[in-house]
Amino acid sequence: MNLKNARVLVIGGTSGIGLGVATAVAERGGVPIVASRNQASVDRALATLPDHARGHTVDLADPEALGRFADEVGAIEHLVFTAGEALQMYPLADITAAAIADLFGTRLAGQLQAVRVFAPRLTAGGSITLTSGTAAEKPTLGVLPAAVCGAVSAMTRALAVELAPLRVNAVAPGPIDTPLWSALAADDRQAIYDQYTQQLPAGRMGTVTDTALAYVYLMEQEFGTGRVLTVDGGGTLV
């Protein structure tokens, strides 16, 4: 399915992987619609995208606001969800109810709420692409990231059955160089990058473009559904 003239809503599309997806959609002649809870982030993203791109703010935790947002956006061909804060590593003894609610609130409940609201607005032949993570297969970040990524992967398969013939897939990024790493000190960040460069079969960290192409593929192909596409430079193999 060609993305030319397709309206693609990217929730979380104002930075990192989401902005990469929006850029790739625009390069293929589609109409990216980026959404974030922060207006400044939306403005920055639109400044880098073509004039025909659109941007909105939305609070995924507010069902009424989400409904109004969906009415404002209207019909779309594809829904992509990439929103989420950096995955935090907690030892089991340090996990709190607040940490669980924060992580699952956006990465699981937020995705499910977005699907619930926008699935009826997808045109025939449309698709939904969610975001999981390689922590579901290789839980090196601890129990919380593994749990939420595993839940998203399972949810993807269930939604593919319930929403058929709409296609529902997910991307599971591994170590990707995005702004989420900017919270680390420069030396710590470089040490992690060097470690991945030495360990990954691909010999480098992934880029936003590497990952965006996976989302584009899942939108353009017309037969795969309920699949989780891993983009990790071979990280789950070693």
Side-chain angles (χ1 to χ4, degrees):
M1 175 181 290
N2 194 299
L3 289 180
K4 187 174 178 59
N5 297 322
R7 287 166 53 84
V8 181
L9 173 60
V10 187
I11 297 179
T14 59
S15 67
I17 291 171
L19 183 55
V21 173
T23 301
V25 167
E27 290 172 348
R28 287 156 178 77
V31 181
I33 306 167
V34 298
S36 169
R37 60 188 173 189
N38 185 290
Q39 184 62 53
S41 296
V42 172
D43 293 340
R44 283 194 298 269
L46 290 178
T48 72
L49 293 168
D51 290 342
H52 65 273
R54 297 291 178 263
H56 299 265
T57 57
V58 62
D59 182 358
L60 297 174
D62 184 341
E64 292 185 1
L66 189 57
R68 291 192 299 270
F69 169 61
D71 291 338
E72 188 175 349
V73 170
I76 56 175
E77 276 68 51
H78 303 282
L79 169 65
V80 175
F81 194 106
T82 62
E85 304 300 327
L87 293 173
Q88 299 292 322
M89 182 187 296
Y90 293 96
L92 181 60
D94 294 341
I95 293 175
T96 64
I100 296 170
D102 184 55
L103 184 61
F104 278 75
T106 298
R107 288 183 174 265
L108 183 67
Q111 298 203 71
L112 187 56
Q113 285 281 60
V115 171
R116 180 186 64 80
V117 170
F118 279 99
R121 292 168 167 81
L122 284 163
T123 59
S127 75
I128 297 168
T129 309
L130 305 177
T131 300
S132 178
T134 54
E137 299 179 60
K138 189 175 181 180
T140 53
L141 295 177
V143 64
L144 272 187
V148 73
C149 290
V152 172
S153 296
M155 181 175 73
T156 298
R157 294 187 289 272
L159 288 170
V161 174
E162 181 166 343
L163 298 179
L166 285 176
R167 293 178 293 106
V168 184
N169 295 290
V171 175
I176 308 298
D177 186 6
T178 75
L180 289 179
W181 294 92
S182 62
L184 296 175
D187 289 347
D188 293 339
R189 185 165 64 248
Q190 188 59 53
I192 291 173
Y193 286 14
D194 291 343
Q195 180 182 4
Y196 280 127
T197 298
Q198 295 168 8
Q199 292 180 347
L200 293 176
R204 63 175 176 86
M205 288 277 287
T207 67
V208 164
T209 300
D210 293 326
T211 316
L213 290 173
Y215 291 85
V216 168
Y217 165 72
L218 290 173
M219 286 185 273
E220 291 188 329
Q221 61 84 31
E222 299 183 13
F223 195 55
T225 191
R227 300 295 90 192
V228 179
L229 179 56
T230 298
V231 183
D232 71 341
T236 53
L237 302 177
V238 294

